Amino acid sequence: MRRVPTVLVVGLLSVVLSGCGGPAGTTDADYAAKYRAAVELLADVERVEASYRSSGGIGRSGDVFIHADTSDRETMVGILTKAMPAIVEAADGDPEVNLAIQVVSAGGASAVSPADLGYVGTGSLTSYREFVAE
């Protein structure tokens, strides 16, 4: 008789926990690939490194490092100006995530971040959406 309550508790726990993730069938690698694809074809982009990590009930974090084919700061800012809305659009419907976004110069000596565009938010997807919408 103890087996029935245990099965019910396990079943209920599974239903509750399944609601904590993103859409069914979406893995951390899927999110990273989606963010990478959103920016890798932009002009002056040499390559993109993207990562995404789900930490159980703690939250999600990730980063998108866009490596430019130039060290020209103005061009790098231009890449970022196009990349932020592209990432936000690609993330439509995704769960909240803290996402670091940077454009790294050729050779890696310098980088620009959303702060270089006047962004002063928290680095969350919601905060980026609000900034891009302004």
Side-chain angles (χ1 to χ4, degrees), residues 31-43 45 48 64 66 78-94 99 101 117 125 128-129 131-133:
Y31 288 118
K34 179 172 35 172
Y35 301 154
R36 181 175 33 261
V39 296
E40 67 188 349
L41 298 179
L42 294 175
V45 171
V48 179
V64 181
I66 304 162
I79 293 169
L80 186 59
T81 300
K82 294 174 186 162
M84 285 191 63
I87 292 168
V88 166
E89 183 178 331
D92 187 37
D94 288 357
L99 195 62
I101 303 172
L117 301 179
L125 192 52
Y128 288 143
R129 283 184 183 114
F131 178 74
V132 169

Side-chain angles (χ1 to χ4, degrees), residues 43-59:
D44 298 306
V45 171
E46 182 177 299
R47 66 186 165 87
V48 179
E49 296 174 10
S51 68
Y52 190 100
R53 294 167 297 285
S54 298
S55 302
I58 299 172

